[in-house]
Amino acid sequence: MHAKYYSLFLLVILASPLCFAFTPSTGIPMPIQHSSAAIADTTSFVRGPTVNLVTNESALIFWRTEGVTNATVWYGLNTSVIESVVNTTLDTDHRIQLTGLEIDSKYFYKVSSNNTESALYHFRTAPPDGEEFKMIVIGDNRPASISYIQPDEFKQLAQMIIDEAPHIVIMSGDYVLDVSADDSYNLAGWAAFTNISDSIGHYAPIYGALGNHDTGAKTGTLRLQYYFDAFEHYNEPSTYFSFDYAGTHFAIIDTEIQHYEGRITGDQYTWLVNDLESSDCSIKYVVGHRPMYPLSHIGDSIDSNPTERARLQQLFEDQNVTAYICGHDHLFDRLTVNGLVHLISGGGGAPPYDTFWGDAYYHYMRINSSYSHVNMSTIKLNGEIGYNYQLPYLGPLEIAIRVLGNGSTAQTGTLPEIYFSEEPSQIYYSWDLGVNQTELTGLPNINGQHSLDVYALDSDDVWTHERFVLTTVGATPTTTAPPPLVLDPLLIGGIAVAGIVVVVVVIVFRRRQVPLSG
Ligand SMILES: [Fe+2]
C-alpha cells in the first residue's frame, strides 16, 4: 500500500518545481528547489523517522526512503546508541519494533538505510500506570486556501510542541484542506502536513482522529488511504480504535463515516460501548473531530442528532469517561456536563472563528494526566497560558448555556440548552426577573434583550446563580382583537343602587308637589 503512494508522491515531486524537505535541526519543512541530485539519492528519507505506538517497554520506529533499502535502528539510553535492530529485507517503508525498553526512560535513536543515517532523535517510554504523563492536544491545523501550504501558525506550534517534549500527541482532525479526485493534489497536501507532523513524530507518538476535511466525501469516495498513510495507528485500517497508555484508556472515534457524518451509531457505537465497558482504567479519554456541544458548527456536529448525542453523553457518564476531546470549531472551549468534561481545541492553524462564546486563538493544549489529577492548559502562540482547568474540580456547580445561533441572538421561542456541571437537586429559571419557574421556557416573544436567571442547588446544598443576557429577534407582532365587554359586578351594583336612589328621590319629590285632597 505504501509503495503505491510513494510512487504517486514521486510523480508529484518530479512534476512540481517546488517541494519540501526537512531541515535536520528542527524538522520544520523549508521550501526548496528540488535538484535532480536529490532525486538520484535513493536513500534519502521521504518520511520520518518517527516513533509510534509507544508503551512502557516498546516502540515502533517508522521511516520511508525514496528507494528500496535495508533498515537499521540504533538506540540507547544515551547518545552513543549502541544497540541496534536490523531488517535486511529491502523496502521503501521501514517499520522496526523496539522491545525490552526500560519504563519511563528517555531513549535516543537514529535510523540508517544502506549507508545513509538520520539525525539523532529521542522519545520517552511510558511511565508506570497511573503516574503523570504529558499529552499535547492540537486540532484543525489545516490550510485555509492552498492545499500544499500549511499555516505558519501550525509550523510555529509544532516547534513549540517539540520543545515541550511530550510523552504523546493527540490530533483531533482536519489536517489538510480537502481530498479531491486528483491524487497528485492530494499527495501534495498530505506531504505538506506530514512534513510537519513527522517533525513532531521524531520525538513523540502521534494519534489522530479523522476530520471532515480529511476525506473525499464530497467526491463520493472517502479516499482514506492518505489519512492511514499519515499516521501509524493501532488496528488499521479501522478509522476508530483504542489503546492504553500509562494505565489511561484512549478511544479514537470517527465522526466522518460516510452518510453518517456527525453521528456515532451502528457498528461503531456497538464497538465503543464494548470498548469502554471492557476498560478498567480510571482515566478514559475519547477523541473525535466533531463536538457534542459545538459553539460554532451548531447542527453540523454530534448535536445534529440530539437523541444520539444524549445516548453518547449517557454512555460516557456511565463509563466514567474523563473527557471528550475534539476540534472542528476553530476555538477553545471547556464545558462540563454532569461531570464529563468536553474540550474543543481547534486552534492548530486554521483561521480562528470569531464567536461570541469560546476563546478563538491559535493554541495547543498541554494536559498533564495521572490518576490523582489532570491539569489542562491552552498554550498560545506567544507561549502564554490562555486557559487552565484542573481535575478533580473542587469549585461550585457550573451553569452554562448553548444552542443559540451566534451565542446571544435567537428566534423568539427558542429553548436555550442549559447545562450543569453536576446534576442539580433543584433548579429555578426566571425570564426578565419574573416569577421563578421550575421549567425552562423559550425566549420571550418580544424583540430585544432579555435576561435569564438560572438557580441550581448542588450536592453540598449550595445555590449557584448565573444570569445570561439574550437578544430575541423574529418576534411575531400580536394582532389582538378588542377585548369583550365585561361589566364589573361592583359597577353593576353601584349603578343599580344609584338608580334606586334616583327613583326614590323622584317619587318623594313628586308626592310633596301633589296638593292634599279633602
Ligand atoms: Fe472540521
Side-chain angles (χ1 to χ4, degrees), residues 140 174 211-213 289 297 328 330:
D140 297 84
D174 281 1
N212 56 303
H213 283 262
H289 180 60
H297 281 287
H328 199 41
H330 300 173

Side-chain angles (χ1 to χ4, degrees), residues 192-272:
F193 167 67
T194 54
N195 275 350
I196 300 174
S197 64
D198 281 0
S199 71
I200 301 170
H202 291 323
Y203 302 98
I206 303 175
Y207 304 93
L210 183 68
N212 56 303
H213 283 262
D214 306 322
T215 81
K218 290 177 184 171
T219 68
T221 305
L222 289 184
R223 303 171 204 279
L224 295 176
Q225 62 266 37
Y226 306 104
Y227 163 73
F228 289 134
D229 190 56
F231 300 96
E232 296 296 311
H233 278 163
Y234 295 100
N235 302 331
E236 283 192 350
S238 176
T239 51
Y240 49 88
F241 59 95
S242 68
F243 61 95
D244 288 350
Y245 183 90
T248 293
H249 190 67
F250 289 84
I252 312 295
I253 62 174
D254 179 4
T255 60
E256 311 307 322
I257 290 182
Q258 196 167 26
H259 309 306
Y260 296 90
E261 289 85 354
R263 298 176 60 185
I264 305 300
T265 187
D267 290 346
Q268 180 177 205
Y269 183 74
T270 304
W271 168 84
L272 186 58

Side-chain angles (χ1 to χ4, degrees), residues 59-107:
L60 176 73
I61 307 298
F62 164 77
W63 72 103
R64 179 173 296 158
T65 48
E66 287 194 354
V68 292
T69 69
N70 59 21
T72 302
V73 176
W74 299 88
Y75 68 101
L77 289 167
N78 53 55
T79 55
S80 60
V81 290
I82 56 174
E83 298 193 63
S84 64
V85 180
V86 179
N87 185 350
T88 56
T89 304
L90 300 180
D91 207 339
T92 54
D93 280 11
H94 311 285
R95 292 179 176 82
I96 287 187
Q97 185 80 17
L98 306 182
T99 57
L101 305 180
E102 292 185 18
I103 194 168
D104 198 17
S105 299
K106 181 177 182 177
Y107 275 88

Side-chain angles (χ1 to χ4, degrees), residues 176-428:
V176 295
L177 181 61
D178 54 9
V179 176
S180 76
D182 179 350
D183 279 338
S184 60
Y185 171 89
N186 298 333
L187 285 167
W190 282 92
F193 167 67
T194 54
N195 275 350
I196 300 174
S197 64
D198 281 0
S199 71
I200 301 170
H202 291 323
Y203 302 98
I206 303 175
Y207 304 93
L210 183 68
N212 56 303
H213 283 262
D214 306 322
T215 81
K218 290 177 184 171
T219 68
T221 305
L222 289 184
R223 303 171 204 279
L224 295 176
Q225 62 266 37
Y226 306 104
Y227 163 73
F228 289 134
D229 190 56
F231 300 96
E232 296 296 311
H233 278 163
Y234 295 100
N235 302 331
E236 283 192 350
S238 176
T239 51
Y240 49 88
F241 59 95
S242 68
F243 61 95
D244 288 350
Y245 183 90
T248 293
H249 190 67
F250 289 84
I252 312 295
I253 62 174
D254 179 4
T255 60
E256 311 307 322
I257 290 182
Q258 196 167 26
H259 309 306
Y260 296 90
E261 289 85 354
R263 298 176 60 185
I264 305 300
T265 187
D267 290 346
Q268 180 177 205
Y269 183 74
T270 304
W271 168 84
L272 186 58
V273 171
N274 292 333
D275 179 74
L276 294 175
E277 282 181 351
S278 61
S279 171
D280 56 5
C281 295
S282 60
I283 301 282
K284 299 174 185 174
Y285 297 108
V286 179
V287 181
H289 180 60
R290 304 196 195 206
M292 294 171 66
Y293 304 95
L295 295 175
S296 183
H297 281 287
I298 296 167
D300 176 34
S301 302
I302 298 178
D303 65 322
S304 62
N305 187 316
T307 304
E308 289 180 2
R309 178 180 65 177
R311 181 177 68 166
L312 200 60
Q313 170 76 29
Q314 192 62 54
L315 172 67
F316 290 171
E317 290 179 30
D318 293 345
Q319 298 305 321
N320 295 314
V321 171
T322 307
Y324 175 62
I325 299 169
C326 59
H328 199 41
D329 282 351
H330 300 173
L331 46 80
F332 173 76
D333 185 65
R334 193 270 310 167
L335 170 71
T336 304
V337 181
N338 288 345
L340 172 66
V341 174
H342 294 261
L343 297 170
I344 303 176
S345 180
Y353 289 160
D354 186 17
T355 175
F356 184 81
W357 286 323
D359 286 325
Y361 52 86
Y362 296 112
H363 71 277
Y364 61 85
M365 289 198 74
R366 176 200 299 144
I367 300 180
N368 292 303
S369 182
S370 72
Y371 282 0
S372 62
H373 71 276
V374 178
N375 190 333
M376 44 192 91
S377 304
T378 62
I379 311 298
K380 297 182 175 181
L381 268 178
N382 62 6
E384 291 179 355
I385 292 178
Y387 180 84
N388 180 260
Y389 181 75
Q390 298 184 36
L391 295 175
Y393 173 70
L394 302 174
L397 180 150
E398 296 175 323
I399 304 171
I401 190 168
R402 284 296 181 278
V403 142
L404 302 168
N406 67 5
S408 67
T409 304
Q411 293 291 315
T412 177
T414 299
L415 195 63
E417 291 183 4
I418 307 295
Y419 296 105
F420 304 94
S421 58
E422 65 174 271
E423 189 86 50
S425 54
Q426 288 185 62
I427 311 169
Y428 290 105

